[in-house]
Amino acid sequence: MLKKLFCAAISFALSAPVLAEKEFENHTNMMDHGDGHLMDMTGGMIMGQNTDTLPGGCDRVAATKEITVHAGHKYAKKFPGRMYAFDVQEYQFEPCTKLTINFINDDSVRHQWMMHGLPKYLYPKGMFHMEVTGPGKISGTLIFPPGDKTYLVHCDIAQHMEKGMKGQLKIGKGSGDLPSIPGVTPYVIQDDYWDKTSVNDERDDEYVADPVEPTVKAVKAPIVENESLFSGLTIVGLAIGLLLAPLLARKFKDMTAAEIVSYLVELAKTGVCMAIKLVKWLMSLVPKK
Ligand SMILES: [Cu+2]
């Protein structure tokens, strides 16, 4: 009995920190691991921090800016079908800007603000990356390279970007728009709610999938050619099945299970033989050169 109580106490003690809601944490005491890599023991991390090295092609820091970025489930509510989002989806800065990002995680899960495609001689793996586990705030700084380019900013936790946590950051004029930025650009793969069970339904060409994202017209999903063929075959198959069912039921009435199985195997064999003969016959029709 005492042993059981002891076990219960231990497991409760171990589970208590998991059950407890994590309090908002300000990640200010970071350990500097060099090369712009800062970390603490409570789930805060910065990689690619650069507060003072000018990227090649910049003669000076063009501007010093500071933004606050929120990450959380609640920011995805205005984007139907999305689960996570940043509070802002698009940013624009002058080339050679020194930017400090105050990254606030409003959720109790882990989120990141990650930027790719930066010059690799200055940013390890061409990346600037901040991360906060659970509710909290972290601040990181980087200096943008010169040139017009559009950068992807996203959370790299599995499925968070796909579920909406992404944005685009344009330096100068940028280099175009990135796809599937919530509220900014259309989905690459549009959800298709066309009723696949009905053969005669006409696709509505004016169909706009996402009325809350009015800045862009939804891209019409390509119609898969085989779809109609598949539905047609399904219906033919069903019709044959329905016609054959009563005939087979009568035939199988006085047979044992083994007899039925061997009959069906024989039937399948005959079918395959017929199919092979048909193919051979069709091939014989093709004129030989
Ligand atoms: Cu995330």
Side-chain angles (χ1 to χ4, degrees), residues 90-106:
E90 205 171 17
Y91 317 85
Q92 188 152 25
F93 298 99
E94 257 184 274
C96 306
T97 293
K98 178 176 174 176
L99 180 71
T100 296
I101 305 110
N102 302 304
F103 182 52
I104 297 174
N105 181 356
D106 292 329

Side-chain angles (χ1 to χ4, degrees), residues 84 109-112 155-157 160 165:
Y84 296 116
V109 297
R110 183 154 63 120
H111 285 310
Q112 302 166 329
C155 175
D156 202 32
I157 306 297
H160 285 199
M165 197 166 268

